[in-house]
Amino acid sequence: MAGPPNDPPEEEDITMMELIDTTTTATPVTTTPNRALLSTSEAPPQSIIRPGTTYNKDNDDGPTMISMSRDEYNTSRTTRESVLQRLSEALLRHSLAQIDLSQRGLQASDARLVKMALSQNANLTVLKLGYNNLGDHGVATLAAGIALHKSLGLLDLGFNNFGDEGAKALSLAMRQAAKTYNGGTLHTLYLAGNLISEEGALAMADFIRQGSRLQKLYVTGNRIGADGVRAITEAILEDELRRKGEPCPEDDDTEEDLEVDRTLFKSPRPKATFEGMQQLFLGGTGMGPMGCQAVAGLLERTSSLRVISFPNCDMGDDEI
Protein backbone atom coordinates (compact mmCIF):
# COMPACT_ATOMS: atom_id res chain seq x y z
CA MET A 1 0.00 0.00 0.00
CA ALA A 2 1.23 3.47 -0.79
CA GLY A 3 0.87 6.24 1.75
CA PRO A 4 0.71 10.01 1.62
CA PRO A 5 3.84 12.13 2.15
CA ASN A 6 5.54 11.44 5.46
CA ASP A 7 4.17 14.46 7.25
CA PRO A 8 1.77 14.81 10.14
CA PRO A 9 -1.72 15.98 9.19
CA GLU A 10 -3.01 19.42 9.94
CA GLU A 11 -5.15 19.83 13.03
CA GLU A 12 -8.44 21.59 12.32
CA ASP A 13 -10.84 23.90 14.14
CA ILE A 14 -8.34 25.80 16.25
CA THR A 15 -7.95 29.50 16.96
CA MET A 16 -4.44 30.74 16.51
CA MET A 17 -2.41 33.55 18.05
CA GLU A 18 0.01 34.99 15.51
CA LEU A 19 3.04 35.77 17.62
CA ILE A 20 5.75 35.34 15.01
CA ASP A 21 5.79 35.80 11.24
CA THR A 22 6.55 32.28 9.98
CA THR A 23 6.58 32.04 6.22
CA THR A 24 8.25 28.63 6.34
CA THR A 25 7.50 25.84 8.77
CA ALA A 26 9.18 22.64 9.84
CA THR A 27 6.31 20.29 9.17
CA PRO A 28 3.15 20.61 7.11
CA VAL A 29 1.10 20.75 10.29
CA THR A 30 1.48 24.49 9.83
CA THR A 31 1.71 25.19 6.13
CA THR A 32 -0.21 28.48 5.98
CA PRO A 33 2.02 31.59 5.74
CA ASN A 34 2.03 33.66 8.96
CA ARG A 35 0.48 30.72 10.83
CA ALA A 36 0.70 30.97 14.59
CA LEU A 37 3.28 29.49 16.89
CA LEU A 38 1.16 29.52 20.02
CA SER A 39 -2.57 29.09 20.37
CA THR A 40 -5.14 28.94 23.09
CA SER A 41 -8.50 27.23 22.96
CA GLU A 42 -10.00 30.15 24.88
CA ALA A 43 -9.48 32.71 22.11
CA PRO A 44 -12.54 33.77 20.08
CA PRO A 45 -12.13 33.53 16.29
CA GLN A 46 -11.56 37.26 15.92
CA SER A 47 -8.84 37.41 18.57
CA ILE A 48 -5.76 37.14 16.39
CA ILE A 49 -2.61 39.15 16.90
CA ARG A 50 -1.59 40.87 13.69
CA PRO A 51 1.14 43.40 12.88
CA GLY A 52 0.29 46.93 13.88
CA THR A 53 -2.22 45.85 16.54
CA THR A 54 -1.64 45.94 20.30
CA TYR A 55 -3.42 43.71 22.79
CA ASN A 56 -3.34 43.69 26.56
CA LYS A 57 -1.43 40.64 27.73
CA ASP A 58 -2.50 41.27 31.33
CA ASN A 59 -6.21 40.92 30.68
CA ASP A 60 -7.46 38.22 33.05
CA ASP A 61 -10.77 37.86 31.24
CA GLY A 62 -9.37 36.58 27.97
CA PRO A 63 -6.68 34.44 26.46
CA THR A 64 -3.00 35.25 26.56
CA MET A 65 -2.24 38.08 24.18
CA ILE A 66 1.23 39.34 23.37
CA SER A 67 1.66 42.93 22.16
CA MET A 68 3.45 43.31 18.86
CA SER A 69 4.18 46.46 16.90
CA ARG A 70 4.37 46.51 13.11
CA ASP A 71 8.14 47.13 13.28
CA GLU A 72 8.63 44.13 15.53
CA TYR A 73 6.54 41.98 13.24
CA ASN A 74 8.37 42.96 10.07
CA THR A 75 11.96 42.96 11.34
CA SER A 76 14.19 40.14 12.59
CA ARG A 77 12.04 39.26 15.59
CA THR A 78 11.84 35.64 14.51
CA THR A 79 15.05 34.79 16.33
CA ARG A 80 15.33 31.94 18.79
CA GLU A 81 15.55 34.36 21.71
CA SER A 82 12.39 36.25 20.79
CA VAL A 83 10.46 33.02 20.28
CA LEU A 84 11.49 31.74 23.71
CA GLN A 85 10.64 35.08 25.31
CA ARG A 86 7.12 34.97 23.90
CA LEU A 87 6.70 31.40 25.07
CA SER A 88 7.83 32.31 28.59
CA GLU A 89 5.34 35.18 28.64
CA ALA A 90 2.46 33.04 27.45
CA LEU A 91 2.90 29.75 29.27
CA LEU A 92 2.08 31.04 32.76
CA ARG A 93 -1.50 31.77 31.73
CA HIS A 94 -2.12 28.00 31.80
CA SER A 95 -4.26 28.23 28.67
CA LEU A 96 -2.01 27.14 25.81
CA ALA A 97 -3.59 24.45 23.65
CA GLN A 98 -0.94 24.22 20.94
CA ILE A 99 2.73 25.12 20.57
CA ASP A 100 4.59 25.19 17.26
CA LEU A 101 8.28 26.08 17.54
CA SER A 102 9.35 24.26 14.41
CA GLN A 103 12.53 25.45 12.69
CA ARG A 104 13.45 28.00 15.36
CA GLY A 105 17.02 26.97 16.13
CA LEU A 106 16.16 25.49 19.52
CA GLN A 107 19.00 23.85 21.42
CA ALA A 108 19.14 21.25 24.17
CA SER A 109 19.04 23.89 26.92
CA ASP A 110 15.80 25.30 25.52
CA ALA A 111 13.99 22.06 26.29
CA ARG A 112 13.69 23.16 29.91
CA LEU A 113 11.34 25.99 28.96
CA VAL A 114 9.25 23.67 26.81
CA LYS A 115 9.12 21.21 29.69
CA MET A 116 7.84 24.04 31.88
CA ALA A 117 5.19 24.81 29.28
CA LEU A 118 4.01 21.21 29.56
CA SER A 119 3.81 21.37 33.35
CA GLN A 120 2.01 24.75 33.34
CA ASN A 121 -0.50 23.91 30.60
CA ALA A 122 -2.34 20.70 31.37
CA ASN A 123 -4.62 21.04 28.34
CA LEU A 124 -1.83 21.34 25.78
CA THR A 125 -2.64 18.88 22.99
CA VAL A 126 -0.16 19.69 20.20
CA LEU A 127 3.60 20.17 20.55
CA LYS A 128 5.60 20.67 17.36
CA LEU A 129 9.36 21.11 17.64
CA GLY A 130 10.52 19.81 14.27
CA TYR A 131 13.74 20.93 12.55
CA ASN A 132 15.59 22.09 15.62
CA ASN A 133 18.66 20.73 17.39
CA LEU A 134 17.46 19.36 20.71
CA GLY A 135 19.71 16.31 20.62
CA ASP A 136 19.58 13.43 23.07
CA HIS A 137 19.93 15.66 26.11
CA GLY A 138 17.16 18.01 25.05
CA VAL A 139 14.77 15.18 24.24
CA ALA A 140 15.53 13.54 27.60
CA THR A 141 14.70 16.82 29.36
CA LEU A 142 11.48 17.13 27.41
CA ALA A 143 10.59 13.52 28.14
CA ALA A 144 10.44 14.24 31.85
CA GLY A 145 7.58 16.65 31.18
CA ILE A 146 5.82 14.32 28.76
CA ALA A 147 5.75 11.57 31.37
CA LEU A 148 3.53 13.69 33.62
CA HIS A 149 1.29 15.24 30.98
CA LYS A 150 -2.29 14.05 30.59
CA SER A 151 -3.46 15.68 27.34
CA LEU A 152 -0.73 15.63 24.68
CA GLY A 153 -2.07 14.17 21.46
CA LEU A 154 0.47 15.13 18.78
CA LEU A 155 4.22 15.28 19.30
CA ASP A 156 6.59 16.30 16.50
CA LEU A 157 10.30 15.82 17.16
CA GLY A 158 11.32 15.28 13.56
CA PHE A 159 14.82 16.32 12.45
CA ASN A 160 16.21 17.09 15.90
CA ASN A 161 19.54 15.28 15.74
CA PHE A 162 18.82 12.78 18.50
CA GLY A 163 19.50 9.08 18.57
CA ASP A 164 18.91 6.04 20.70
CA GLU A 165 19.41 7.68 24.10
CA GLY A 166 16.76 10.27 23.36
CA ALA A 167 14.46 7.64 21.89
CA LYS A 168 14.80 5.47 24.98
CA ALA A 169 14.08 8.37 27.33
CA LEU A 170 11.06 9.35 25.24
CA SER A 171 9.75 5.78 25.13
CA LEU A 172 10.03 5.41 28.89
CA ALA A 173 8.20 8.70 29.41
CA MET A 174 5.39 7.71 27.06
CA ARG A 175 5.06 4.35 28.81
CA GLN A 176 4.72 6.13 32.15
CA ALA A 177 2.09 8.52 30.79
CA ALA A 178 0.16 5.63 29.22
CA LYS A 179 0.19 3.68 32.47
CA THR A 180 -0.82 6.71 34.56
CA TYR A 181 -3.58 7.97 32.26
CA ASN A 182 -5.24 4.73 31.12
CA GLY A 183 -3.41 4.34 27.84
CA GLY A 184 -2.46 7.98 27.49
CA THR A 185 -3.63 10.48 24.91
CA LEU A 186 -0.80 10.51 22.36
CA HIS A 187 -2.13 9.52 18.93
CA THR A 188 0.51 10.95 16.54
CA LEU A 189 4.28 10.66 16.97
CA TYR A 190 6.61 12.21 14.39
CA LEU A 191 10.27 11.13 14.70
CA ALA A 192 11.42 11.33 11.09
CA GLY A 193 14.94 12.36 10.10
CA ASN A 194 16.77 11.61 13.34
CA LEU A 195 19.61 9.26 14.28
CA ILE A 196 17.59 6.45 15.82
CA SER A 197 18.92 2.95 15.18
CA GLU A 198 17.83 -0.54 16.18
CA GLU A 199 18.28 0.09 19.91
CA GLY A 200 15.95 3.07 19.87
CA ALA A 201 13.43 1.16 17.76
CA LEU A 202 13.37 -1.63 20.32
CA ALA A 203 12.54 0.92 23.02
CA MET A 204 9.73 2.33 20.87
CA ALA A 205 8.43 -1.21 20.36
CA ASP A 206 8.30 -1.71 24.12
CA PHE A 207 6.18 1.41 24.45
CA ILE A 208 3.76 0.22 21.78
CA ARG A 209 3.62 -3.29 23.19
CA GLN A 210 2.81 -2.09 26.70
CA GLY A 211 -0.33 -0.37 25.44
CA SER A 212 -0.99 3.11 24.10
CA ARG A 213 -3.42 5.02 21.90
CA LEU A 214 -0.85 5.67 19.19
CA GLN A 215 -2.42 5.70 15.73
CA LYS A 216 0.21 7.35 13.53
CA LEU A 217 3.94 6.70 13.76
CA TYR A 218 6.57 8.36 11.55
CA VAL A 219 10.10 6.93 11.74
CA THR A 220 11.10 7.84 8.19
CA GLY A 221 14.81 8.33 7.64
CA ASN A 222 15.96 6.60 10.82
CA ARG A 223 18.24 3.65 10.02
CA ILE A 224 16.56 1.23 12.40
CA GLY A 225 17.22 -1.70 10.06
CA ALA A 226 15.38 -4.98 9.65
CA ASP A 227 15.43 -5.85 13.36
CA GLY A 228 14.08 -2.45 14.32
CA VAL A 229 11.26 -2.71 11.80
CA ARG A 230 10.49 -6.24 12.96
CA ALA A 231 10.33 -5.13 16.60
CA ILE A 232 7.93 -2.27 15.82
CA THR A 233 5.65 -4.28 13.52
CA GLU A 234 5.47 -7.19 15.95
CA ALA A 235 4.67 -4.80 18.82
CA ILE A 236 1.89 -3.19 16.78
CA LEU A 237 0.37 -6.59 16.04
CA GLU A 238 0.69 -7.80 19.64
CA ASP A 239 -0.99 -4.68 20.94
CA GLU A 240 -3.83 -5.00 18.44
CA LEU A 241 -4.42 -8.69 19.11
CA ARG A 242 -4.31 -8.21 22.87
CA ARG A 243 -6.98 -5.54 22.65
CA LYS A 244 -9.15 -7.95 20.68
CA GLY A 245 -8.57 -10.71 23.20
CA GLU A 246 -6.70 -12.88 20.69
CA PRO A 247 -3.46 -14.76 21.48
CA CYS A 248 -0.31 -12.81 20.71
CA PRO A 249 2.63 -14.40 18.90
CA GLU A 250 5.41 -15.40 21.32
CA ASP A 251 3.54 -13.87 24.25
CA ASP A 252 5.94 -14.08 27.22
CA ASP A 253 4.67 -11.23 29.39
CA THR A 254 6.16 -10.71 32.83
CA GLU A 255 3.96 -10.14 35.86
CA GLU A 256 4.56 -6.40 35.50
CA ASP A 257 3.43 -6.56 31.87
CA LEU A 258 0.27 -8.43 32.87
CA GLU A 259 -0.54 -5.78 35.47
CA VAL A 260 -0.25 -3.10 32.77
CA ASP A 261 -2.58 -5.19 30.59
CA ARG A 262 -5.17 -5.38 33.35
CA THR A 263 -4.98 -1.64 33.87
CA LEU A 264 -5.11 -0.58 30.23
CA PHE A 265 -7.27 -3.16 28.53
CA LYS A 266 -9.79 -4.36 31.09
CA SER A 267 -10.76 -1.03 32.58
CA PRO A 268 -13.77 0.88 31.22
CA ARG A 269 -12.92 2.72 28.04
CA PRO A 270 -14.33 6.00 26.71
CA LYS A 271 -17.12 5.77 24.18
CA ALA A 272 -14.75 6.87 21.40
CA THR A 273 -13.26 3.58 20.27
CA PHE A 274 -9.54 3.11 19.73
CA GLU A 275 -8.68 1.03 16.68
CA GLY A 276 -4.91 0.64 17.03
CA MET A 277 -2.15 1.77 14.68
CA GLN A 278 -3.63 3.21 11.50
CA GLN A 279 -0.68 4.85 9.72
CA LEU A 280 2.93 3.66 9.73
CA PHE A 281 5.78 5.38 7.85
CA LEU A 282 9.00 3.39 7.45
CA GLY A 283 10.69 5.02 4.47
CA GLY A 284 14.49 5.07 4.44
CA THR A 285 14.87 2.78 7.43
CA GLY A 286 17.13 0.29 5.65
CA MET A 287 14.82 -2.58 6.47
CA GLY A 288 15.72 -4.67 3.42
CA PRO A 289 14.20 -8.09 2.64
CA MET A 290 13.96 -9.19 6.29
CA GLY A 291 12.15 -6.04 7.28
CA CYS A 292 9.83 -6.48 4.32
CA GLN A 293 8.92 -9.92 5.62
CA ALA A 294 8.10 -8.41 9.01
CA VAL A 295 5.83 -5.86 7.35
CA ALA A 296 4.13 -8.66 5.41
CA GLY A 297 3.49 -10.51 8.66
CA LEU A 298 1.78 -7.44 10.07
CA LEU A 299 -0.34 -6.93 6.98
CA GLU A 300 -1.53 -10.52 7.07
CA ARG A 301 -3.22 -10.11 10.45
CA THR A 302 -3.91 -6.45 11.12
CA SER A 303 -7.35 -5.00 10.69
CA SER A 304 -6.55 -1.49 11.90
CA LEU A 305 -3.69 -0.40 9.63
CA ARG A 306 -4.89 1.85 6.82
CA VAL A 307 -1.68 3.42 5.47
CA ILE A 308 1.83 2.03 5.29
CA SER A 309 4.69 3.71 3.48
CA PHE A 310 8.21 2.34 3.00
CA PRO A 311 10.05 3.95 0.05
CA ASN A 312 13.84 3.78 -0.21
CA CYS A 313 14.15 0.69 1.96
CA ASP A 314 16.70 -1.35 0.00
CA MET A 315 14.17 -3.72 -1.51
CA GLY A 316 13.76 -5.19 -4.98
CA ASP A 317 10.93 -6.67 -6.98
CA ASP A 318 11.08 -10.02 -5.18
CA GLU A 319 10.51 -8.46 -1.76
CA ILE A 320 7.63 -6.37 -3.02
Side-chain angles (χ1 to χ4, degrees):
M1 290 183 288
N6 301 326
D7 300 311
E10 183 168 346
E11 298 292 315
E12 300 178 350
D13 298 327
I14 53 177
T15 301
M16 309 305 293
M17 294 173 59
E18 293 188 340
L19 306 187
I20 302 295
D21 180 11
T22 168
T23 56
T24 59
T25 54
T27 62
V29 184
T30 53
T31 55
T32 305
N34 298 336
R35 190 72 178 270
L37 296 180
L38 305 179
S39 71
T40 170
S41 58
E42 297 178 7
Q46 67 273 20
S47 296
I48 302 176
I49 293 183
R50 300 189 183 281
T53 305
T54 302
Y55 292 83
N56 180 11
K57 64 182 178 182
D58 299 318
N59 179 12
D60 293 333
D61 297 327
T64 304
M65 295 294 183
I66 307 300
S67 300
M68 177 179 287
S69 68
R70 183 176 297 277
D71 289 340
E72 287 178 330
Y73 193 91
N74 291 329
T75 58
S76 57
R77 299 288 293 185
T78 58
T79 62
R80 163 178 165 265
E81 290 77 11
S82 63
V83 169
L84 295 175
Q85 179 181 352
R86 281 163 170 74
L87 176 59
S88 64
E89 291 172 347
L91 65 86
L92 295 179
R93 287 296 302 271
H94 311 291
S95 59
L96 290 178
Q98 303 193 23
I99 295 177
D100 183 355
L101 297 179
S102 302
Q103 205 171 353
R104 295 296 160 181
L106 301 187
Q107 304 170 7
S109 59
D110 302 326
R112 291 176 294 179
L113 182 59
V114 181
K115 175 187 172 184
M116 183 182 299
L118 285 166
S119 65
Q120 296 289 337
N121 294 271
N123 294 321
L124 185 73
T125 60
V126 174
L127 179 58
K128 293 178 282 188
L129 303 172
Y131 290 90
N132 287 296
N133 191 31
L134 295 179
D136 285 314
H137 182 70
V139 171
T141 299
L142 185 65
I146 292 172
L148 303 176
H149 202 271
K150 65 177 184 178
S151 303
L152 193 63
L154 185 151
L155 176 62
D156 177 7
L157 292 173
F159 299 91
N160 262 284
N161 197 33
F162 72 92
D164 293 334
E165 294 305 313
K168 288 189 289 186
L170 181 62
S171 299
L172 183 62
M174 294 186 299
R175 286 180 61 179
Q176 181 177 336
K179 185 175 181 179
T180 303
Y181 301 110
N182 192 28
T185 56
L186 191 68
H187 56 75
T188 301
L189 180 60
Y190 190 84
L191 302 175
N194 285 299
L195 307 173
I196 303 171
S197 67
E198 177 185 335
E199 187 178 356
L202 293 176
M204 286 291 160
D206 285 341
F207 159 62
I208 296 170
R209 184 178 292 108
Q210 294 299 320
S212 71
R213 297 183 185 275
L214 198 62
Q215 299 178 7
K216 302 172 187 178
L217 175 62
Y218 302 76
V219 291
T220 308
N222 292 279
R223 301 298 286 184
I224 61 177
D227 289 338
V229 170
R230 180 186 297 110
I232 289 176
T233 54
E234 289 180 353
I236 291 172
L237 183 58
E238 290 177 24
D239 180 53
E240 180 180 340
L241 295 179
R242 186 179 293 113
R243 291 176 185 277
K244 296 177 180 178
E246 300 179 20
C248 301
E250 301 180 3
D251 197 342
D252 55 353
D253 284 347
T254 64
E255 180 58 34
E256 180 182 355
D257 295 334
L258 294 175
E259 179 59 31
V260 172
D261 291 347
R262 287 190 284 268
T263 302
L264 297 182
F265 306 128
K266 294 186 179 180
S267 57
R269 312 294 281 179
K271 291 183 178 181
T273 59
F274 169 75
E275 298 181 356
M277 189 70 68
Q278 298 177 16
Q279 298 184 21
L280 180 62
F281 295 84
L282 298 170
T285 54
M287 66 185 196
M290 297 300 294
C292 186
Q293 291 180 8
V295 170
L298 172 63
L299 294 177
E300 286 177 352
R301 300 191 65 181
T302 182
S303 61
S304 65
L305 197 62
R306 299 291 183 268
V307 176
I308 186 166
S309 176
F310 45 92
N312 306 317
C313 281
D314 306 325
M315 296 182 299
D317 293 340
D318 292 340
E319 289 77 28
I320 297 297

